[in-house]
Amino acid sequence: MDYRLLDGKKVSNETKEKIAKEAKRLTDDYGVRPGLAVVLVGNDPASQLYVNMKEKACKKANFYSKLIQLDERTSQDDVIDVIEDLNKNDNIHGILLQLPLPNGMNEKFVNSKISPEKDVDGFHAINAGNLFLGDKGFIPCTPKGILRLIKYYDIEIEGKDVVVIGRSNIVGKPAGLLLLNENATVTICHSKTRNISEYTKKADILISAVGRPHLIKKDMVKLGAIVVDAGTSKVDGKLYGDVDFENVKNNASWITPVPGGVGPMTIAMLLENTLEAYKKKWK
Ligand code: GUN
């Protein structure tokens, strides 16, 4: 079967260009740039890399960006003090607390201190609750990026059987809710699911968000399925997706590459959420 690429790089670039133009225009009008603060605690190399990419993207989008790097021995109370200062800072419209936090910190509790109006990751209970209810609010960037990518290529969602693998609060669970809100029939599989293939083989749209290299093989994918790979892992310095792309591609009608699929969309959606937070404040 001929497959087509869900080209996250292209869609992300187009989105970022639009955002950069709008940010410039709004800055001229209001005299303040959209601002994103990224808080990084500790020195996890993957987190450092993500944070640098986010900073670079902000600069390119004509945003103000503030990186706050804290030593891994920083106390939870001190991290919360930093967040509370950012909540009050009028130049900051979005706050992103890079996860994972060092051992011993309560991620949910620290995240709950981010003002919901600045919670551009959409992890605060207020925003998660709004997604649950199908109401407006900040949607986590990776699932939002997945939905945007599917919609960009005019792929019908309503009535489709969607299978999501992974139930993280960052990707799997919100992705399931988003697609349910789009009238798909959603199944969420996870580490305790018995015989995952039985579910994946029935999926019209298969989304994998696990972080296990090449977990998804051809015999797990229905002919003509739309395959979205939201999992990345590194083995010996090499980046892998959850989907064995070369093996699976000929069963798919649409498929995301890794890299160049969901990853770039996540950053574009972070900028979009930050611009949304800014507009809510200034308009
Ligand atoms: N760590 C891995 N992915 C993410 C994300 O989307 N947001 C934050 N804050 N941390 C992460």
Side-chain angles (χ1 to χ4, degrees):
M1 170 154 208
D2 281 344
Y3 69 90
R4 282 174 286 180
L5 276 187
L6 292 162
D7 189 346
K9 193 150 189 235
K10 172 178 169 239
V11 182
S12 165
N13 282 339
E14 285 179 20
T15 311
K16 286 190 289 187
E17 262 172 44
K18 240 189 257 167
I19 291 171
K21 277 191 195 134
E22 197 177 355
K24 183 156 189 333
R25 188 170 52 74
L26 290 168
T27 303
D28 290 344
D29 288 352
Y30 298 109
V32 179
R33 278 181 292 169
L36 175 71
V38 176
V39 181
L40 174 61
V41 190
N43 38 27
D44 176 61
S47 291
Q48 186 77 55
L49 188 75
Y50 289 139
V51 159
N52 291 344
M53 281 162 64
K54 287 165 188 172
E55 269 234 295
K56 227 169 102 187
C58 277
K59 298 227 159 79
K60 256 185 119 173
N62 303 315
F63 284 21
Y64 166 61
S65 91
K66 186 179 170 82
L67 173 61
I68 297 157
Q69 272 191 284
L70 302 170
D71 189 273
E72 68 179 341
R73 286 158 302 186
T74 309
S75 72
Q76 181 165 301
D77 284 345
D78 284 347
V79 176
I80 291 171
D81 282 346
V82 166
I83 288 172
E84 284 174 345
D85 279 344
L86 292 168
N87 283 339
K88 290 185 228 139
N89 185 336
D90 283 337
N91 290 315
I92 296 297
H93 308 95
I95 301 170
L96 184 145
L97 176 67
Q98 184 65 33
L99 303 177
L101 291 177
N103 285 343
M105 281 200 203
N106 182 335
E107 275 179 6
K108 258 190 211 160
F109 183 71
V110 181
N111 248 313
S112 75
K113 300 298 172 185
I114 297 175
S115 156
E117 291 79 30
K118 296 191 179 188
D119 170 40
V120 288
D121 252 330
F123 297 161
H124 191 286
I126 296 265
N127 287 309
N130 281 328
L131 175 59
F132 178 91
L133 296 170
D135 289 340
K136 276 205 162 77
F138 289 115
I139 293 166
C141 303
T142 300
K144 187 177 181 182
I146 292 171
L147 181 63
R148 184 65 56 80
L149 196 53
I150 293 173
K151 285 194 166 174
Y152 180 92
Y153 290 98
D154 285 328
I155 293 165
E156 175 93 31
I157 297 170
E158 186 164 302
K160 292 272 175 76
D161 288 326
V162 172
V163 173
V164 180
I165 313 178
R167 56 174 156 177
S168 71
N169 289 331
I170 298 182
V171 187
K173 232 187 272 179
L177 281 170
L178 261 185
L179 287 146
L180 181 64
N181 292 344
E182 296 286 328
N183 297 319
T185 303
V186 176
T187 305
I188 301 184
C189 298
H190 48 79
S191 53
K192 299 288 185 282
T193 302
R194 287 171 295 172
N195 204 347
I196 280 196
S197 293
E198 259 179 42
Y199 297 93
T200 59
K201 277 192 285 195
K202 293 191 179 130
D204 299 311
I205 301 176
L206 177 62
I207 300 171
S208 188
V210 180
R212 281 243 305 272
H214 290 189
L215 167 75
I216 308 295
K217 303 284 187 194
K218 189 174 182 171
D219 61 359
M220 298 168 76
V221 176
K222 183 165 88 171
L223 194 66
I226 294 138
V227 181
V228 178
D229 190 345
T232 49
S233 36
K234 260 195 177 163
V235 183
D236 298 330
K238 190 173 178 305
L239 184 71
Y240 288 86
D242 283 358
V243 176
D244 187 344
F245 183 92
E246 286 305 317
N247 180 263
V248 166
K249 66 183 185 193
N250 292 319
N251 258 21
S253 57
W254 292 92
I255 185 166
T256 57
V258 170
V262 173
M265 292 305 296
T266 299
I267 297 221
M269 295 302 104
L270 174 65
L271 298 176
E272 196 175 279
N273 281 353
T274 304
L275 190 64
E276 198 178 303
Y278 168 91
K279 285 202 258 185
K280 271 196 203 129
K281 185 171 161 63
W282 285 98
K283 276 196 162 173

